Amino acid sequence: NGHGTSVASIAAGNKTFTGSSSYGGYTVTANSVISVAPNANIIAEKVLNASGSGYSTDVANGLRKAADAGAAVINLSL
């Protein structure tokens, strides 16, 4: 639980770093952004309950809702 939030921040995080830092062998320079697509928009559809359980129909309905909302790329963090 909470994995989707982490994945969303990796995919579309837009925090600008003010200084230089090193993370796991990567160097982040000042005024740079770490994410795959910092200008992306997130459409969040939570389909599992608080314990991480749900039905495949819940997942399918979440996919349909995201697509209907205009999602061009969909990531499932189940």
Side-chain angles (χ1 to χ4, degrees), residues 45-47 55-68:
E45 293 295 333
K46 188 165 180 74
V47 298
Y55 298 98
S56 58
T57 53
D58 298 328
V59 176
N61 288 334
L63 288 168
R64 168 73 61 184
K65 194 171 180 183
D68 289 346

Side-chain angles (χ1 to χ4, degrees), residues 4-77:
T5 303
S6 298
V7 171
S9 69
I10 292 168
N14 60 7
K15 176 180 173 48
T16 302
F17 287 86
T18 57
S20 296
S21 299
S22 182
Y23 297 96
Y26 294 96
T27 300
V28 181
T29 58
N31 300 316
S32 65
V33 177
I34 289 184
S35 72
V36 176
N39 295 320
N41 294 311
I42 299 289
I43 300 170
E45 293 295 333
K46 188 165 180 74
V47 298
L48 303 178
N49 66 23
S51 64
S53 297
Y55 298 98
S56 58
T57 53
D58 298 328
V59 176
N61 288 334
L63 288 168
R64 168 73 61 184
K65 194 171 180 183
D68 289 346
V73 175
I74 296 177
N75 174 69
L76 299 178
S77 295

